[in-house]
Amino acid sequence: MPSVLGLLEAREKKVREEVARLQEEAERALRRLVDARATVAEVLAEPPSVVEEPHRGSAAGSVVPHRTDGMTVSVLAPDYQRIVSVLESEAGREGMRCQQLARALGLQVVPAKVEGLRSKAERLVERGWARQTGPGVFIALVVSAGCGHRGGVRPGGRS
């Protein structure tokens, strides 16, 4: 039969090993936190760098950029390019309502599609790619190269 003192010594040894293991684990976690804090402090101390995005064709669902001089519709997402193309067409020269725009784009003329187009057309207006000529009537401001006139001003002085 083992002695009580022998049992206590064995138990003490196991507890000391567990304490050493936990202490080592805690020190590793502390080192990671100190390193992370040092890295963040280093990054925050650096002057901010400005990364300018190149003006390329956008992907579907991308944000509509604010129009500036020299920008072409190719920087717009394909859905927006199609809308501008229809607004630039002969049918869209006098302005189009969203239901007409939906038909011209081959979409179903249902509230969900029409409201989606209205949202996109309004975004084009906000960003300088189109304008509203009346409540819910949209017209292109930008005319693609080769259409005979520029900047949305048509022959005869009307815009």
Side-chain angles (χ1 to χ4, degrees):
M1 180 169 185
S3 73
V4 174
L5 287 176
L7 290 173
L8 286 174
E9 283 178 7
R11 179 73 178 137
E12 181 181 341
K13 182 180 177 190
K14 282 184 180 179
V15 169
R16 285 185 190 278
E17 289 171 354
E18 180 70 10
V19 166
R21 186 186 64 75
L22 290 172
Q23 189 171 11
E24 191 176 300
E25 191 176 303
E27 286 174 356
R28 273 195 308 270
L30 179 60
R31 263 194 311 273
R32 284 194 309 269
L33 289 171
V34 168
D35 290 345
R37 185 171 43 88
T39 301
V40 168
E42 183 180 308
V43 168
L44 291 176
E46 292 177 6
S49 62
V50 177
V51 178
E52 190 170 319
E53 295 282 327
H55 292 296
R56 291 191 203 126
S58 298
S62 66
V63 176
V64 176
H66 286 276
R67 184 174 161 262
T68 60
D69 288 339
M71 269 188 169
T72 64
V73 294
S74 66
V75 301
L76 296 174
D79 287 349
Y80 290 94
Q81 288 180 25
R82 289 179 60 218
I83 293 169
V84 171
S85 175
V86 169
L87 292 175
E88 291 176 339
S89 72
E90 196 61 41
R93 297 275 163 110
E94 299 300 318
M96 294 184 94
R97 295 193 166 280
C98 290
Q99 288 183 346
Q100 296 169 306
L101 193 53
R103 271 189 222 95
L105 289 167
L107 300 174
Q108 293 177 329
V109 183
V110 295
K113 298 291 183 181
V114 172
E115 289 308 310
L117 276 174
R118 183 179 325 283
S119 174
K120 288 179 179 179
E122 287 173 351
R123 187 166 296 119
L124 287 168
V125 169
E126 291 169 7
R127 307 295 166 81
W129 295 95
R131 68 181 176 92
Q132 277 189 275
T133 60
V137 180
F138 299 92
I139 191 166
L141 279 182
V142 178
V143 177
S144 298
C147 286
H149 55 284
R150 301 171 16 144
V153 177
R154 295 193 317 263
R158 292 176 32 205
S159 60

